[in-house]
Amino acid sequence: MTEPTMTVLSLGAGVQSSTIALMACDGTLPKPDAAIFADTGWEPRQVYAHLDRLAVELGQAGIPLHRVSNGNLRADAIDPAHRYASVPYFVRNPDGSAGMGRRQCTSEYKLVPIKRKIRELLGATAPAFRRVPKGRVAEQWIGFSTDEIHRVSDKLDVLYLTPRYPLLDLGMSRKDCQRWLERRGWGDTAKSACIGCPFHGNRQWRELRDNSPEEWADAVEFDREIRKGGSRGMPLNGEAFLHSSRIPLDIAPIDKVTRGEWRDRQGDLLDLIEDGDPDGCSPYGCRSGGAA
Ligand code: SF4
């Protein structure tokens, strides 16, 4: 196996990758040669503010932060002429049955620009940055914690990348990361995800509605706009929704259910409805495809 010529951190700006970034800044971990954040253009203000704060720490530690993008997911998702932006909407088919849109957004808006940047850093030439010079390999740090071990894959789809999981090496869970961040004054680090991600649970929708009215209004508007399809590939016959109930977001049942109602229902499924995808949107843990 070729020895890595550089180390890059895939920085999603959520709990786990922020922990790695700050550990690299304080010397707990060695410094990577670069950190890369893939911007879908539709993260909440809180995430961008967190990223700006991280950028200062990284800058002081001498770790370059690259913000990369493959377009604006929100704009592309409602552009009928656009090729990508296939978002995993909840779909009601014309016969009333339930369906789900394909999740390609993570790959197109996160994996693709991150890999392009890594190829560039490894010496691939402009404008396409396709071909990495022979013998150049990047060790890519990915923020999977011990509770996400199921996301680890040995599958290598490109020869210029070799993955490493610093939190697994340290035996740290997501909770450990949260505690570590809290002790250092970063306790408000949030899960990073697009404002209108269908994987939000009710808790995230409520937080958006109650604490970020403008972003909530944006998500409600977007939910209306996708009803009859968006970018190419969306079903034109069915109806698409952001909320799992397949009800318009502004009237969807996102408020808390009573204790009695909880008792009457099963645990796991409702946990998912309440909390959303527990793992958030990791570029390297996309459920629509294999980890890369
Ligand atoms: S946060 Fe949601 S909408 Fe955004 S890229 Fe990830 S899966 Fe797609």
Side-chain angles (χ1 to χ4, degrees):
M1 186 192 277
T2 312
E3 277 298 304
T5 44
M6 68 180 310
T7 305
V8 293
L9 165 63
S10 174
L11 180 66
V15 168
Q16 286 99 327
S17 65
S18 295
T19 302
I20 296 175
L22 292 166
M23 282 183 160
C25 292
D26 78 3
T28 307
L29 289 170
K31 284 181 194 169
D33 296 292
I36 305 177
F37 172 79
D39 188 359
T40 65
W42 206 24
E43 293 276 350
R45 263 195 297 270
Q46 191 190 357
V47 171
Y48 290 118
H50 175 78
L51 185 68
D52 289 344
R53 194 178 162 211
L54 271 181
V56 173
E57 295 281 328
L58 290 165
Q60 285 169 353
I63 303 168
L65 169 62
H66 302 280
R67 304 181 197 219
V68 297
S69 168
N70 206 19
N72 182 295
L73 187 148
R74 190 201 190 289
D76 295 346
I78 54 171
D79 178 356
H82 202 273
R83 185 178 149 213
Y84 299 128
S86 181
V87 178
Y89 303 127
F90 295 93
V91 173
R92 190 181 312 114
N93 296 313
D95 65 1
S97 64
M100 194 84 202
R102 287 182 65 202
R103 176 176 171 182
Q104 289 179 314
C105 43
T106 313
S107 171
E108 295 304 333
Y109 289 84
K110 296 190 175 180
L111 284 177
V112 166
I114 288 173
K115 285 183 177 170
R116 185 168 51 219
K117 189 68 195 179
I118 292 175
R119 291 196 301 273
E120 182 187 339
L121 294 173
L122 285 170
T125 50
F129 302 110
R130 278 217 182 90
R131 203 172 290 260
V132 172
K134 204 161 182 257
R136 301 262 180 103
V137 171
E139 179 177 275
Q140 185 177 29
W141 289 4
I142 298 168
F144 290 161
S145 45
T146 53
D147 41 302
E148 296 178 308
I149 199 134
H150 56 284
R151 290 180 144 189
V152 172
S153 166
D154 290 334
K155 198 177 86 184
L156 281 179
D157 66 343
V158 287
L159 292 174
Y160 60 84
L161 277 181
T162 177
R164 185 169 162 205
Y165 308 98
L167 297 175
L168 297 184
D169 296 342
L170 293 167
M172 290 182 75
S173 66
R174 181 182 167 81
K175 280 267 175 240
D176 293 330
C177 293
Q178 280 169 327
R179 280 191 284 268
W180 191 94
L181 289 170
E182 265 162 35
R183 282 199 300 274
R184 284 156 183 82
W186 293 78
D188 58 353
T189 305
K191 204 188 272 187
S192 87
C194 296
I195 288 171
C197 178
F199 285 134
H200 286 343
N202 283 342
R203 195 188 311 279
Q204 281 165 287
W205 287 127
R206 284 197 302 274
E207 276 170 13
L208 200 66
R209 180 194 64 189
D210 299 342
N211 302 322
S212 309
E214 280 176 29
E215 290 173 349
W216 168 253
D218 185 28
V220 167
E221 177 59 26
F222 180 77
D223 179 61
R224 275 195 208 106
E225 288 172 329
I226 60 166
R227 197 74 71 239
K228 285 294 174 189
S231 59
R232 247 197 275 175
M234 274 301 299
L236 294 175
N237 289 328
E239 287 191 316
F241 300 85
L242 290 183
H243 192 261
S244 55
S245 62
R246 295 170 180 79
I247 291 174
L249 186 58
D250 53 342
I251 55 169
I254 66 168
D255 282 299
K256 278 183 180 167
V257 294
T258 65
R259 279 180 183 281
E261 286 171 321
W262 277 103
R263 265 199 305 276
D264 290 343
R265 305 180 191 186
Q266 297 294 315
D268 287 352
L269 178 61
L270 278 212
D271 283 349
L272 191 62
I273 293 170
E274 182 67 1
D275 291 327
D277 183 340
D279 301 327
C281 179
S282 161
Y284 291 90
C286 177
R287 291 179 178 188
S288 65

